[in-house]
Amino acid sequence: MRLSRFFLPILKENPKEAEIVSHRLMLRAGMIRQEAAGIYAWLPLGFRVLKKIEQIVREEQDRSGAIEVLMPTLQLADLWRESGRYDAYGPEMLRIADRHKRELLYGPTNEEMITEIFRAYVKSYKNLPLNLYHIQWKFRDEQRPRFGVMRGREFLMKDAYSFDLNEAAARVAYNKMFVAYLRTFARMGLKAIPMRAETGPIGGDLSHEFIVLAETGESGVFINRDVLDLPVPGEDVDYESDLTPIIKQWTSVYAATEDVHDAARFEQEVPVDKRVNTRGIEVGQIFYFGTKYSEPMKALVAGPDGVDVPIHGGSYGVGVSRLLGAIIEACHDDAGIKWPEAVAPFRVSILNLKQGDAAVDAACEKLYAELTAKGVDVLYDDTDQRAGAKFAAADLIGIPWQIMIGPKGLADGKVEIKRRSDGARETMSPADAVARLVG
RNA sequence: CGGAGCGUGGCGCAGCCCGGUUAGCGCACUAGUCUGGGAGACUAGGGGUCGGAGGUUCAAAUCCUCUCGCUCCGACCA
């Protein structure tokens, strides 16, 4: 992509409404545009990152055996009356009427709808286990949206729903999601720690929140430092095997949000030098809720003995749009964003340091063509700004690799590459740069 | 939902208390010149009617009323 042909409205100054760094950087880097309180338009740079994150979430859900569907954003109120949540949910739910005065709502979550779909088709234990997920926009009319996409009213969420014959089977499903989440967040360059959590309005008796440590987070957390060094299961993890050893390893080290924090246990179990009390951003939550929805909504399957029983369910959410903010909170410096490669909007940026200089232009074009031909996502800064402005913009938008091409280096046949994450620079020939940055 | 505050060119702000020339500054934008390795300089330009409605007044960005939107602190949530 040529920057001169791209749409990247960078702001030089800090927008006054943005208090926390991720919100500020997303606005300055031209990633999002606020349209209303807690409602954002995704501009090209932000949209690219959103898609990358979404894809990682999708791949790990698929790997774990979950199956993707897509449910609508609007739901019938009557469906929610079946579960009793239409009245229970309160003003956070956006209620709408259509032209026939039929009551609708913009879905804040999808337990009811997925249960309705499930019960329409599945009648036998032989079709279990089943885990269906979708990645869809949600709306929760927060009393106080803030922090940009971290606490928006409209947000993109991956929500999965598992269906099993009994509690033991449901816990197997729960464990699969637990492991999938460990992998999902690790792939994005995050350390997300599973913490025992309250179950909230969705209900149930087993739940973990996955929390990224950050000073600006909304949740207070208490952890044993050791949890930061636990190994994340690899790509080859066998989801059909018994995953309980992994779960045990992760849940036996103390980690809890302040809501469920047990000070006595914390002090008893965790040595003083390993106690950490900090804040974090919740990026995912998993629940086992048993028959909470299947009983009132009559989602029954016949067991081996021919008797109909309500299925045991769980739900598993990942805040996809929130993750943008969480990643930036974790990966930035004074100059701007430092995208982990897995979610970066582009892998490489080429900075033409003297636009209009025939030799420099030619070298840039050649490198741009070669990298593009080899499948590397490149943003080529071919604007006629001065070098300093290009450096600043490149650092701000945080593309992992910068290739700087100017008359000085080119006189020796060299270009400079800079790694955004640590600022490391190297000078090399264009051919070596290509070899270095492919793959 | 309690408390505080803000809406003035695309962005950041001044002006408002103490109404009174053509509403000002920085950035951005347009044209040009000189430049060219960390947000370059100069010259010349364009763009706002002050969130909206109503009122007071000879006169309103400025005072009053209502209204809409947004932000921050707190209690609540992927």
Side-chain angles (χ1 to χ4, degrees):
Chain A
M1 178 65 64
R2 289 171 193 277
L3 184 54
S4 64
R5 303 281 82 204
F6 197 48
F7 180 59
L8 183 65
I10 284 176
L11 305 178
K12 228 164 152 177
E13 292 176 87
N14 282 323
K16 65 174 175 182
E17 73 269 20
E19 274 301 302
I20 64 166
V21 66
S22 60
H23 189 197
R24 204 156 56 224
L25 289 174
M26 286 183 79
L27 290 167
R28 287 197 51 212
M31 297 175 65
I32 53 171
R33 163 96 188 158
Q34 180 169 338
E35 292 298 335
I39 299 177
Y40 293 85
W42 294 81
L43 305 182
L45 195 74
F47 190 54
R48 281 182 161 251
V49 179
L50 188 69
K51 287 290 176 193
K52 288 260 175 104
I53 291 173
E54 182 183 328
Q55 185 56 25
I56 290 173
V57 171
R58 176 176 289 117
E59 286 171 13
E60 293 304 326
Q61 290 294 293
D62 291 348
R63 194 194 307 282
S64 78
I67 301 166
E68 187 169 15
V69 298
L70 183 59
M71 290 178 270
T73 53
L74 296 180
Q75 308 183 24
L76 280 171
D78 283 347
L79 190 55
W80 282 63
R81 293 199 168 97
E82 285 193 48
S83 69
R85 284 209 294 179
Y86 190 69
D87 297 320
Y89 216 93
E92 253 193 25
M93 185 151 74
L94 180 63
R95 295 153 208 261
I96 311 166
D98 69 11
R99 66 195 301 165
H100 304 296
K101 304 282 191 288
R102 229 171 254 135
E103 294 173 278
L104 298 167
L105 58 99
Y106 195 122
T109 179
N110 284 64
E111 280 84 1
E112 283 79 2
M113 187 175 283
I114 198 75
T115 300
E116 187 279 321
I117 291 170
F118 175 89
R119 74 182 177 193
Y121 301 111
V122 181
K123 304 293 179 192
S124 164
Y125 79 97
K126 290 180 182 169
N127 296 315
L128 304 183
L130 184 64
N131 186 330
L132 299 174
Y133 77 96
H134 76 336
I135 299 173
Q136 176 63 291
W137 292 92
K138 305 292 190 292
F139 194 92
R140 294 185 190 172
D141 201 355
E142 296 279 348
Q143 298 170 35
R144 191 184 161 206
R146 64 184 126 173
F147 302 149
V149 300
M150 297 252 271
R151 180 75 174 275
R153 291 193 291 172
E154 187 186 50
F155 57 96
L156 188 61
M157 180 165 110
K158 184 287 298 181
D159 38 326
Y161 304 92
S162 65
F163 301 89
D164 286 281
L165 185 61
N166 53 43
E167 178 174 343
R171 293 200 179 225
V172 170
Y174 185 90
N175 289 351
K176 285 183 182 177
M177 283 292 111
F178 191 110
V179 170
Y181 278 27
L182 289 175
R183 285 193 42 75
T184 299
F185 299 124
R187 278 187 62 185
M188 296 171 192
L190 293 173
K191 278 206 183 291
I193 301 164
M195 303 193 191
R196 188 179 300 278
E198 281 187 339
T199 51
I202 294 182
D205 67 347
L206 178 57
S207 176
H208 286 87
E209 290 181 351
F210 285 73
I211 292 183
V212 175
L213 299 188
E215 285 304 320
T216 47
E218 293 194 82
S219 323
V221 300
F222 295 83
I223 63 166
N224 179 334
R225 194 181 298 283
D226 287 346
V227 78
L228 295 168
D229 300 319
L230 291 175
V232 171
E235 200 172 293
D236 57 352
V237 61
D238 179 4
Y239 279 101
E240 296 313 311
S241 69
D242 180 11
L243 298 171
T244 45
I246 297 173
I247 311 302
K248 277 211 174 109
Q249 182 182 35
W250 278 87
T251 53
S252 59
V253 182
Y254 193 94
T257 62
E258 59 194 355
D259 300 335
V260 297
H261 177 56
D262 179 343
R265 209 189 117 199
F266 187 59
E267 282 164 28
Q268 186 192 332
E269 284 183 18
V270 186
V272 175
D273 61 319
K274 301 218 168 176
R275 290 177 198 164
V276 179
N277 174 16
T278 180
R279 305 195 66 76
I281 301 162
E282 183 188 341
V283 290
Q285 184 160 16
I286 57 180
F287 299 95
Y288 163 69
F289 49 66
T291 59
K292 179 181 165 97
Y293 300 97
S294 58
E295 275 185 21
M297 294 185 67
K298 302 267 187 299
L300 312 176
V301 297
D305 55 4
V307 177
D308 280 350
V309 293
I311 61 90
H312 285 248
S315 70
Y316 315 89
V318 171
V320 175
S321 47
R322 171 180 283 187
L323 274 164
L324 283 264
I327 291 169
I328 294 171
E329 289 295 326
C331 310
H332 71 273
D333 60 19
D334 290 344
I337 303 166
K338 302 195 285 191
W339 291 115
E341 294 215 17
V343 300
F346 296 92
R347 177 169 158 78
V348 175
S349 61
I350 295 175
L351 309 190
N352 183 331
L353 301 184
K354 190 171 181 182
Q355 201 71 38
D357 179 294
V360 176
D361 287 354
C364 287
E365 290 289 343
K366 183 158 181 282
L367 201 57
Y368 175 54
E370 285 179 13
L371 285 167
T372 302
K374 291 184 192 263
V376 179
D377 250 342
V378 182
L379 182 65
Y380 169 27
D381 190 342
D382 60 341
T383 62
D384 61 2
Q385 292 189 93
R386 295 169 61 89
K390 292 190 180 187
F391 293 139
D395 285 349
L396 174 64
I397 65 176
I399 291 164
W401 297 94
Q402 299 171 9
I403 307 179
M404 290 167 278
I405 305 182
K408 289 181 185 169
L410 214 51
D412 301 325
K414 304 286 190 189
V415 301
E416 186 177 28
I417 72 174
K418 172 179 151 183
R419 184 163 59 198
R420 180 67 181 93
S421 60
D422 60 3
R425 295 156 183 272
E426 269 185 85
T427 300
M428 61 184 70
S429 71
D432 288 343
V434 171
R436 179 66 164 280
L437 296 173
V438 167

